[in-house]
Every structure is written in C-alpha cells, then in structure tokens.
Amino acid sequence: MSNEQAELRHHARVMLWDRDVGDELFRLASDRAFQGGAVPDSQRMDAFKQFYQAWREGVSTRGAPLFTDAALFSALPGPDNVPRQVLMLADFAGFPLDQAAEIMGIDRAAAEKALAVGRSLNRLDPAMGCKALIIEDEFLIAEELSALAKRAGIAEVYLARTVDQAIQLAQDHLPDIIFADFRLKDGETGVEAIEPLRELTGAPVGFVTAYPHSVLKHSVIPPDFLIQKPFRPEAVTAIIGHWLVEKEMD
C-alpha cells in the first residue's frame, strides 16, 4: 500500500466516522480507479477525486449500484455536505483550495464560500462543556495542543504524561475527544492506551505523530484520526469540530 493509499483509507474512515464502512468504500474506489494497484505518491489529488466519485456513485439511485451490501448502503451518508467536505479537504487533509475545489467538482469561488461556511459551522460552543484529554510528555507540544483545543471551543482540557495518568483522568472526567502522542519518552505509546480509553469513554482517540504514513500503514490498532507533527492549527480545529459538531448533525 502506497503512502497515498494509506492516507486516503484514513480519510475515508474519518469522513464516515466508521472504519469498516470507510475501508469498504476505499477498497471499492481503489478497485475501480486503480485496479487494486498502488497509487503513486504523485497522484494524491487524483486518488481523492476517484474516492469522492465512488462515494457519489455509491449513494446514487441511478444506474447499476456500486454496493451490493444493503447494510453498507444504508450506513453510507451522502457526500452532499459540500462545506464539510471542502473544510476537511482543505484544513484537515491540507489540500490547496484549488485542488479541494477540483476534487469536489466545483469552482474556486464556490469552494471559498463553502470553506467559510464549513469553518463557521464547525466551531464548538464552549457552553456545550466538551472536554479533551491530551496524552503528551513534551510540555510545549501539550500546551500548544491545549490552546488549540480551547480555541476550537473545548471547555476543559486535561493533560497526561503517561498512559496510567491518561486512564485515571479519563475515568475521572470522561473526555469527549482524546489526542495521544504515538511515542512517549518512557517507552510507552499511545497504542497502549487507545483501546482502554475507547472502551472507557466511547470518545474518538487520535494519534499525534511525526511519522503519519508509517503509523497509518503499520499500526495494529488504527486511530480514529491522526494529526501530523508539526501540526497545523486548522487541522486540529477541523478534526475537533468534525467529531464533536458534524457527527451530531449528520
């Protein structure tokens, strides 16, 4: 699997809030567009275009159905929320706006408008009282993530340096979203915490890592989302809103 395929599979999982449905749509898109072969790294935008085309066809009632599994079809939301799609392509996936527009099949002016709308709808109201847990043993990184989370509308942020501290804080506060450094300095990893934290809180758990493609291709326990170091502020804001605002609206 190429880096681009690993990233696209992750994008599918994030956008559909479900690893199984995301993986199936990714597989079908890859089979149709690339005959199951690897996607060259130079074709990142083309890969995303093919994915969104397969998604649109997957929910279409015209022509031969893309999916034969009725349960999968019923679980698949449409990609018709253009502001959210452009927001996640531009802010989370990091595509320039021109490329995000091309992926969505719209012009730049429409993409600019959609991005502005998406950002306005994606912000949490602090009055919602959402809580975040950050597992990070580098103080400056933890503080930066904490500041970004609060700017995105998170009301309370809890910081943990170890897996044990994280589990205790999760038990005490039941966070709504969790960021976990993939590698901690004492030899622990976010992988060791991800499943206990999911079971305990039901919250999405994401890795923060400088090696995103390695994690996406080789992690035994896949994250619900992934933030690359050094992280872009808009990516952190986008993923928080995607999980805590958009998932409730869709």
Side-chain angles (χ1 to χ4, degrees), residues 189-204:
T189 71
V191 175
E192 297 170 41
I194 195 168
E195 284 304 331
L197 290 174
R198 276 179 181 155
E199 292 177 6
L200 181 64
T201 66

Side-chain angles (χ1 to χ4, degrees), residues 97-117:
L97 192 56
D98 286 341
Q99 293 185 7
E102 185 173 343
I103 289 169
M104 292 300 298
I106 58 179
D107 61 33
R108 181 184 173 88
E112 288 179 344
K113 182 177 179 180
L115 181 58
V117 172

